[in-house]
Amino acid sequence: MTTLHQIAVIPGDGIGREVIEPAMEVLEQAARQWDFSLAWTTYPWSCAYYTEHGHMMPGDGLDRLAESDAIFLGAVGDPSVADDVSLWGLLIPIRRAFDQYVNLRPLRLLRGIDSPLESLGGAVDLLVVRENSEGEYSEAGGRLFAGTSMETAIQESVFTRRGIERIMRYAFDRAEERTGRLVSATKSNGIIHTMPLWDQICGEIGSERPRITVDSYHIDALAAYFVQRPETLDVVVASNLFGDILSDLGAAIVGGIGLAPSANVNPDRTYPSMFEPVHGSAPDIANLGVANPIGQIWTGALMLEHLGHPEAGAAVVAALEDVLADSDIRTQDLGGSASTAEFTRAVLDALRSKRPAFVNHADEAGPFD
């Protein structure tokens, strides 16, 4: 019996609406070839929705999303709506209500893509494991004496033992599956309370996992390593803010933020996980039909892996690489002239040439577990 997955779709704003349908088309093709089905339910929640209704999603939005097996998100944002309104009105409530405490961001130099770092010799294939529910992106704080010369803004970072332990254990598991090397991002020489706790717990878990080689680098030095020697890194575990910045920097060195995928994961699977590309809504190129769909398609491949179809997800990424390495079909941001639709057609053609070694992986556990 063919496995059916219920997917909630939030296209969002700008190019989010333009790249999500091509990505869905690619995922549908993969589903046909690997003998499973995807049922899509689309929700119009976005900045445009906010302008019309006064909120980013309705009061029962989370209840409706909870019925899905996964959430496939485009890009959210518009110059007419403040970023803190759009982020805290949609993405962060979803991440926190569904305990998506892992933000997983693969950074890989795809075949056919040249890094902007001309000196980069080796292949880059690393994984940023970002804590996604607390840390620097907490709601603790506020403003005092607003509108006066004494105006003061206070923002508290919240690091809990539970939060640090579970992201560390997840990262150690990923390192064990890969090369056995883990780097922890810290700044304990300057941030006197939270980062020493982060380091302490990393060390405690590391003592339980002697097969994993663990290094701890200050965030400023680690940022330099991302640029100077990214090929020496494998799994990087970082706090909410540090992981956000490092993964954006990493995306730049492997071809640009438009190529970068991302997954907001609930490893316990008590709630649906959410899959969104790293790039934004890019209003400057919206409605032109030239947006690069790679980030959204690759994000969809992560979703297939999470749903239990790792071979199908790998085939989607391989199809992207085939187009990039074996043809001159590229979107404008990669130096080509192909439209979004033209690039997607090429990916579909490449994907059709892939043949499953076996079918129905629905009961297999992938690296998101």
Side-chain angles (χ1 to χ4, degrees):
M1 182 176 177
T2 300
T3 302
L4 174 65
H5 302 288
Q6 301 288 341
I7 311 298
V9 182
I10 306 176
D13 301 292
I15 66 167
R17 298 191 301 270
E18 298 177 47
V19 296
I20 205 160
E21 288 192 8
M24 291 164 62
E25 190 176 359
V26 171
L27 300 184
E28 286 279 7
Q29 180 63 40
R32 286 191 292 270
Q33 291 177 216
W34 270 266
D35 192 31
F36 59 93
S37 298
L38 301 169
W40 312 93
T41 302
T42 300
Y43 298 99
W45 307 333
S46 61
C47 288
Y49 187 90
Y50 175 85
T51 300
E52 182 177 353
H53 299 278
H55 44 254
M56 292 295 295
M57 64 177 167
D60 65 346
L62 293 173
D63 292 335
R64 292 156 73 177
L65 293 175
E67 298 173 357
S68 63
D69 296 312
I71 303 163
F72 197 41
L73 181 77
V76 176
D78 186 271
S80 66
V81 177
D83 287 343
D84 61 316
V85 171
S86 58
L87 183 65
W88 287 87
L90 185 64
L91 300 188
I92 289 183
I94 293 172
R95 291 173 180 173
R96 295 189 174 175
F98 295 153
D99 202 19
Q100 297 167 350
Y101 66 85
V102 175
N103 184 248
L104 198 65
R105 294 189 173 184
L107 297 168
R108 182 171 133 203
L109 189 59
L110 297 174
R111 286 190 303 114
I113 294 292
D114 295 323
S115 170
L117 300 179
E118 295 182 1
S119 61
L120 189 60
V124 178
D125 183 3
L126 61 94
L127 186 66
V128 174
V129 177
R130 168 191 170 194
E131 202 290 317
N132 205 38
S133 63
E134 54 177 44
E136 302 90 349
Y137 293 176
S138 77
E139 294 180 77
R143 289 196 187 187
L144 304 173
F145 312 114
T148 75
S149 61
M150 299 277 295
E151 187 163 10
T152 303
I154 300 172
Q155 179 71 52
E156 300 285 356
S157 294
V158 177
F159 284 70
T160 65
R161 172 169 285 274
R162 173 177 179 266
I164 299 171
E165 282 186 345
R166 63 183 186 174
I167 197 65
M168 285 290 177
R169 294 191 187 280
Y170 186 93
F172 271 84
D173 288 345
R174 301 292 77 77
E176 188 166 22
E177 292 169 354
R178 290 166 61 99
T179 66
R181 294 180 293 119
L182 177 70
V183 166
S184 172
T186 186
K187 191 59 179 173
S188 51
N189 61 339
I191 303 176
I192 194 169
H193 297 302
T194 58
M195 284 288 106
L197 178 62
W198 175 275
D199 293 348
Q200 174 188 329
I201 294 173
C202 180
E204 291 171 0
I205 297 174
S207 67
E208 302 170 4
R209 309 286 289 271
R211 291 186 297 177
I212 306 299
T213 300
V214 183
D215 291 301
S216 182
Y217 296 147
H218 289 149
I219 183 66
D220 39 4
L222 185 53
Y225 292 162
F226 263 62
V227 173
Q228 295 173 334
R229 52 185 193 188
E231 70 280 3
T232 67
L233 303 171
D234 187 48
V235 176
V236 176
V237 63
S239 68
N240 215 331
L241 175 62
F242 289 176
D244 194 2
I245 295 171
L246 283 175
S247 57
D248 283 1
L249 173 61
I253 67 173
V254 294
I257 202 167
L259 281 65
S262 175
N264 301 281
V265 182
N266 172 260
D268 302 327
R269 296 177 182 264
T270 50
Y271 300 101
S273 295
M274 178 169 63
F275 299 83
E276 56 171 320
V278 175
H279 67 71
S281 59
D284 56 321
I285 60 168
N287 303 313
L288 300 179
V290 298
N292 186 342
I294 291 177
Q296 190 77 57
I297 293 172
W298 194 350
T299 294
L302 296 182
M303 184 173 72
L304 296 187
E305 187 177 348
H306 174 74
L307 292 171
H309 308 285
E311 190 181 1
V316 169
V317 178
L320 289 172
E321 290 192 296
D322 287 350
V323 174
L324 293 169
D326 302 332
S327 78
D328 58 358
I329 302 173
R330 294 167 180 253
T331 48
Q332 291 181 11
D333 60 312
L334 296 179
S337 59
S339 67
T340 306
E342 289 168 340
F343 186 87
T344 304
R345 283 196 296 271
V347 174
L348 287 167
D349 289 341
L351 180 60
R352 291 186 186 102
S353 69
K354 311 297 179 187
R355 293 290 179 266
F358 53 93
V359 297
N360 196 2
H361 299 260
D363 295 328
E364 288 194 0
F368 294 94
D369 296 285

